[in-house]
């Protein structure tokens, strides 16, 4: 945890300043981060500690921390605490790459938690899947971690005809991307990127507040035989950025 007590917090917050209280709290936190007093990965004081030390309402403290999280300065993990954010993780916008490889190339550890892997009937409102897959699809939901921080929820539907052994894979030791690239090599892909708020379940899995903006990639991939998979990839906005390059 960032080394600071309530008396020290109060002293840091003191002085003449006409700005709104929540902005002064934001300035206090960002100053401690900028000067290196609170380093990447340090846990910040709790909302309760800020309230007790600064004599402000919990609503004021919460607003300051929510805005700092949205700006990428801190990371809030429900039930765990609030931490100084690291440099945002970059993912390629125009490539379809294995997330495990990206994380390992950054010198960090990748692991996966499997939420579900099963066969399901395709819903009536998923017409594009019914046209390509028929009446049923394989459905997987995974959470990808960089070290111990969840950075992506992968919600994927797969064509059983293209990857008949999909349900038998151990996705704690391989990824859907790696497996599918071997059994149904990619010839075409489609990305749609949106800024969204995650669902209640996605926020729970990512350990973020419901108000935190997320980056959503809707990705469809085709092999020579047709559509292989359709995935919804949800990333906390404070922990990720997308990069792309192009030329004439």
């Amino acid at each position: 945890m960032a080394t600071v007590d309530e008396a020290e917090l109060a002293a840091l917050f003191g002085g003449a300043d006409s700005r709104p209280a929540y902005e002064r709290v934001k300035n206090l936190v960002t100053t401690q981060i900028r000067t290196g007093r609170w380093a990447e990965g340090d846990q910040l004081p709790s909302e309760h500690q800020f309230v007790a030390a600064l004599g402000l309402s919990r609503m004021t403290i919460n607003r300051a921390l929510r805005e700092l999280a949205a700006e990428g300065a801190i990371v809030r993990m429900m039930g765990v605490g609030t931490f100084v954010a690291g440099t945002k993780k970059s993912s390629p916008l125009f490539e379809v790459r294995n997330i495990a490889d990206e994380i390992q190339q950054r010198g960090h550890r990748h692991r996966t938690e499997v939420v579900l892997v099963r066969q399901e009937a395709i819903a009536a409102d998923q017409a594009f899947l019914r046209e390509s897959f028929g009446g049923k699809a394989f459905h997987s939901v995974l959470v990808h971690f960089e070290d111990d921080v969840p950075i992506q929820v992968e919600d994927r539907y797969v064509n059983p005809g293209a990857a008949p052994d999909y349900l038998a894979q151990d996705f704690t030791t391989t990824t859907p991307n790696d497996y599918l690239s071997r059994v149904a090599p990619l010839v075409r892909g489609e990305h749609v990127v949106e800024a969204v708020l995650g669902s209640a379940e996605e926020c729970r899995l990512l350990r973020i507040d419901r108000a935190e903006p997320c980056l959503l990639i809707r990705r469809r991939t085709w092999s020579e035989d047709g559509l292989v998979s359709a995935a919804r990839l949800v990333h906390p906005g404070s922990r990720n950025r997308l990069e792309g390059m192009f030329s004439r």
Side-chain angles (χ1 to χ4, degrees):
M1 177 177 288
T3 54
V4 66
D5 58 27
E6 291 181 7
E8 188 175 0
L9 271 179
L12 291 169
F13 189 70
D17 193 329
S18 61
R19 290 177 296 176
Y22 78 91
E23 289 190 2
R24 295 170 61 200
V25 175
K26 289 177 64 177
N27 183 65
L28 183 157
V29 174
T30 55
T31 297
Q32 299 308 298
I33 294 172
R34 186 176 63 252
T35 59
R37 179 74 182 280
W38 296 353
E40 176 180 337
D42 278 352
Q43 185 172 2
L44 271 64
S46 67
E47 286 190 13
H48 176 77
Q49 289 175 303
F50 274 115
V51 168
L54 307 183
L56 301 173
S57 71
R58 186 145 191 172
M59 183 179 299
T60 297
I61 300 299
N62 184 266
R63 176 176 178 178
L65 297 180
R66 279 192 292 108
E67 290 193 5
L68 286 168
E71 293 165 8
I74 62 174
V75 174
R76 307 185 76 191
M77 300 176 67
M78 290 187 298
V80 180
T82 302
F83 301 84
V84 178
T87 303
K88 287 190 178 184
K89 313 302 186 287
S90 298
S91 297
L93 177 58
F94 300 120
E95 298 179 64
V96 178
R97 294 180 59 191
N98 186 0
I99 189 170
D101 293 340
E102 293 178 30
I103 290 171
Q104 289 162 6
Q105 287 169 7
R106 294 195 286 263
H108 296 166
R109 178 175 56 89
H110 169 265
R111 69 178 178 90
T112 303
E113 289 186 2
V114 177
V115 179
L116 64 88
V117 181
R118 65 194 181 200
Q119 181 172 279
E120 294 180 0
I122 298 175
D125 61 352
Q126 295 177 304
F128 77 97
L129 288 182
R130 295 178 68 88
E131 292 171 3
S132 300
F133 296 177
K136 294 184 177 180
F138 296 149
H139 184 201
S140 61
V141 177
L142 313 176
V143 185
H144 295 282
F145 287 75
E146 182 156 352
D147 295 328
D148 292 317
V149 178
I151 64 167
Q152 183 192 93
V153 171
E154 174 188 328
D155 187 345
R156 183 185 297 269
Y157 288 89
V158 174
N159 185 345
D165 295 327
Y166 188 80
L167 300 184
Q169 305 309 304
D170 180 359
F171 290 124
T172 65
T173 60
T174 190
T175 64
N177 176 279
D178 181 58
Y179 170 70
L180 293 173
S181 68
R182 287 186 278 111
V183 301
L186 172 72
V187 298
R188 181 163 66 95
E190 174 188 86
H191 287 182
V192 177
V193 182
E194 301 176 62
V196 300
L197 294 177
S199 68
E201 177 65 3
E202 289 164 346
C203 291
R204 184 186 71 80
L205 293 172
L206 291 169
R207 304 176 190 171
I208 59 174
D209 189 90
R210 287 295 305 275
E212 177 169 341
C214 295
L215 291 173
L216 166 64
I217 301 176
R218 299 184 190 275
R219 176 181 293 163
R220 294 194 286 181
T221 56
W222 286 260
S223 70
E224 290 183 348
D225 296 323
L227 183 66
V228 174
S229 79
R232 173 186 169 93
L233 310 174
V234 182
H235 310 75
S238 62
R239 302 175 199 167
N240 293 269
R241 69 172 180 237
L242 298 174
E243 294 183 349
M245 297 180 66
F246 63 90
S247 61
R248 291 184 61 184

